[in-house]
Amino acid sequence: MLHSGENLFWEGERFDSFCTVLDGWLFSYRLFGDGRRQILNLLFPGDVVGSWIGEAVAHCSVQALTPSKLCVLPQLSQMDLATRFPELAIRYGETIHNQLVRSECRVASLGRQSARQRIAHFILDLCCRLNVSHGKPLQAAIPMPLTQEDIADFLGLTNVTVCRILGDFRTENLIRIAGHELQVRDPEQLAEICEYDWLECSSASAEAWI
Amino acid sequence: MLHSGENLFWEGERFDSFCTVLDGWLFSYRLFGDGRRQILNLLFPGDVVGSWIGEAVAHCSVQALTPSKLCVLPQLSQMDLATRFPELAIRYGETIHNQLVRSECRVASLGRQSARQRIAHFILDLCCRLNVSHGKPLQAAIPMPLTQEDIADFLGLTNVTVCRILGDFRTENLIRIAGHELQVRDPEQLAEICEYDWLECSSASAEAWI
DNA sequence: CGAAGAGTTGATCCAAGTCAAACGTTGTGG
DNA sequence: CCACAACGTTTGACTTGGATCAACTCTTCG
């Protein structure tokens, strides 16, 4: 269990465990010397944290965004894992491969898309991961515990820019924001803005690991 | 075998094979509607291309930068792979995990670093992957088949900016460029520029797969 | 109620993009 | 061996998207 704002581990720290998220939202991030922060990834139930091969030193920090439950898997030797639990090894490969695809899509977005495109991309990707993979319609409202500053740090922008563009999207009736929920109203047009091709919709589920 | 400039596969194409690079440099990339290109990853001997679980549709294209040799592994079912060749499954997990770490470091760089920092980061990372992992000193000259435009597309910049900053680095005596070779002359200062922490130096080798 | 955090808005600035021209370098074919 | 074409690099002038700075408002919650 982690409270919101609590860290699972810090960049540079030794972290050999291998966890999966059972419940809650977390994010991994890096801090720079001048205080800038880049959020690397959002972690939802079913995602893995850490490496099964046990990286000596964490390359990023991980923090809980909402109260979160994690399952720490017993640390086996690699060989044990692969030979005694081959289905676990397969699932690990799948999950980490999904994360890699997603990460590379983010590289493309950060490298070559405008602020407007990045934000559209972010919204659609989030809906895909949360709604579509759980069988809900894309337009279903999703919880939004991220502040605008979090979104900015995720997309390599500033909170001011995020605020302005979310405002635009709202007046263009592309999205609706109420309380801490976000709803996509016009996925087609959002997809057109950012050239989203609905490929990136694979996600994980927590049940698979239990 | 692939000639330089030749594509192994294209984004959106079906590609179920699972290859490893034996020789040469390749890169994966995405194109946007207006012709912009983002290079996602550089692939060196020892890296894997594609997924062992066979992604239905490739999320990016892969092109050879230099004449390249690839080893296409026979496509086994996942279970076969994990149970009959557990050491292969482990190696796959390691490699793909390394790629993920590297990709996330790039997200941080693209999201929060200046052009100068990104280029310094790129140079050091390249040297680490090529020299350090092969036991050579960091300062050893490395081949540089990438054009400045390639580097720009890798870092989310323009060729003009890359040209200007490489020029700066040269006059500051941080690097030396001769023909198609690049040599780092002052790794310390480059590391200071981009807050490089030498963590990201794990790499793969081709031999391990044979 | 009051304080702290988050969101909104306007004014200004700058790093990097864009456009354009000139200069090198490489390779090919007459 | 030269010519010239294709491609890459370099440099200068100008533009711009998003950052920065700063004030103000709106929530939330003890």
Side-chain angles (χ1 to χ4, degrees):
Chain A
M1 278 300 307
L2 288 178
H3 304 289
S4 8
E6 202 175 343
N7 268 64
L8 179 60
F9 57 83
W10 297 87
E11 181 183 346
E13 204 175 290
R14 191 170 186 86
F15 185 77
D16 309 300
S17 304
F18 169 44
C19 314
T20 66
V21 181
L22 294 182
D23 195 38
W25 289 25
L26 302 92
F27 63 93
S28 60
Y29 66 100
R30 274 193 140 180
L31 291 177
F32 289 95
D34 58 357
R36 287 165 172 245
R37 178 180 67 158
Q38 176 66 45
I39 293 183
L40 302 178
N41 200 3
L42 295 178
L43 300 164
F44 300 125
D47 287 324
V48 299
V49 185
S51 166
W52 72 344
I53 59 169
E55 47 182 7
V57 173
H59 75 287
C60 61
S61 312
V62 169
Q63 185 174 124
L65 198 63
T66 68
S68 301
K69 225 185 298 181
L70 293 161
C71 167
V72 181
L73 299 190
Q75 190 165 22
L76 304 167
S77 82
Q78 299 175 22
M79 253 313 169
D80 272 3
L81 242 174
T83 53
R84 289 172 48 201
F85 305 103
E87 73 289 346
L88 196 68
I90 290 169
R91 187 156 299 283
Y92 176 80
E94 272 178 12
T95 311
I96 210 110
H97 175 78
N98 275 347
Q99 282 192 28
L100 178 61
V101 170
R102 202 172 293 283
S103 177
E104 291 195 332
C105 290
R106 297 199 58 216
V107 167
S109 185
L110 295 191
R112 286 289 178 234
Q113 293 198 302
S114 67
R116 194 175 152 86
Q117 291 179 306
R118 288 185 217 181
I119 293 177
H121 188 282
F122 165 73
I123 292 170
L124 289 179
D125 199 37
L126 203 56
C127 288
C128 270
R129 266 179 102 176
L130 291 175
N131 285 341
V132 174
S133 71
H134 288 61
K136 291 189 216 164
L138 191 64
Q139 283 95 339
I142 54 174
M144 178 44 65
L146 295 159
T147 66
Q148 294 184 348
E149 188 151 1
D150 292 333
I151 297 173
D153 286 348
F154 186 78
L155 297 175
L157 302 168
T158 58
N159 60 338
V160 178
T161 301
V162 170
C163 175
R164 293 206 161 106
I165 291 174
L166 283 181
D168 293 349
F169 282 178
R170 250 180 314 192
T171 61
E172 294 169 41
N173 243 300
L174 302 178
I175 58 170
R176 166 195 292 278
I177 300 175
H180 287 230
E181 288 202 328
L182 182 148
Q183 185 194 359
V184 173
R185 310 209 66 188
D186 193 339
E188 309 300 337
Q189 199 168 345
L190 279 177
E192 194 168 335
I193 288 173
C194 63
E195 302 187 33
Y196 196 75
D197 56 5
W198 313 104
L199 276 185
E200 308 156 26
C201 285
S202 50
S203 191
S205 66
E207 295 71 32
W209 287 99
I210 302 177
Chain B
M1 278 299 308
L2 287 178
H3 304 291
S4 9
E6 201 175 344
N7 269 64
L8 179 60
F9 56 83
W10 298 86
E11 181 183 346
E13 205 176 288
R14 190 170 186 86
F15 185 77
D16 309 301
S17 305
F18 168 44
C19 313
T20 66
V21 181
L22 294 182
D23 196 36
W25 289 25
L26 302 92
F27 63 94
S28 60
Y29 65 101
R30 274 192 141 182
L31 292 177
F32 289 94
D34 58 356
R36 286 165 172 246
R37 178 179 66 158
Q38 175 66 46
I39 293 183
L40 301 178
N41 200 3
L42 295 178
L43 299 164
F44 300 126
D47 286 322
V48 298
V49 185
S51 165
W52 73 346
I53 58 168
E55 47 183 7
V57 173
H59 76 287
C60 61
S61 312
V62 169
Q63 186 174 123
L65 198 62
T66 70
S68 301
K69 226 185 298 182
L70 294 161
C71 168
V72 181
L73 298 190
Q75 191 166 19
L76 304 167
S77 82
Q78 300 174 22
M79 254 313 169
D80 272 2
L81 244 174
T83 54
R84 289 171 48 199
F85 305 105
E87 72 289 346
L88 197 66
I90 290 169
R91 186 156 299 285
Y92 176 79
E94 273 177 12
T95 311
I96 208 112
H97 175 77
N98 275 347
Q99 281 192 29
L100 177 61
V101 170
R102 200 172 295 282
S103 177
E104 292 196 331
C105 291
R106 298 199 57 216
V107 167
S109 186
L110 295 192
R112 286 290 179 234
Q113 292 198 303
S114 67
R116 194 174 153 86
Q117 290 179 306
R118 288 185 218 181
I119 293 176
H121 188 284
F122 165 73
I123 293 170
L124 289 179
D125 199 36
L126 203 56
C127 289
C128 270
R129 267 179 102 175
L130 291 175
N131 285 340
V132 175
S133 71
H134 288 59
K136 291 189 215 163
L138 191 64
Q139 284 94 340
I142 55 174
M144 178 44 65
L146 295 160
T147 66
Q148 293 183 349
E149 188 150 2
D150 292 335
I151 297 173
D153 285 348
F154 186 77
L155 297 175
L157 302 168
T158 58
N159 61 337
V160 178
T161 301
V162 169
C163 176
R164 294 207 160 105
I165 291 174
L166 283 180
D168 292 349
F169 282 177
R170 249 181 315 193
T171 62
E172 294 170 42
N173 242 300
L174 302 178
I175 59 169
R176 166 193 292 276
I177 301 175
H180 287 228
E181 287 201 327
L182 181 149
Q183 185 194 358
V184 174
R185 310 208 67 187
D186 193 341
E188 308 301 335
Q189 200 169 343
L190 280 177
E192 194 167 335
I193 289 172
C194 62
E195 302 186 34
Y196 196 75
D197 56 6
W198 314 104
L199 276 185
E200 308 154 26
C201 284
S202 49
S203 191
S205 68
E207 295 71 32
W209 288 99
I210 302 174

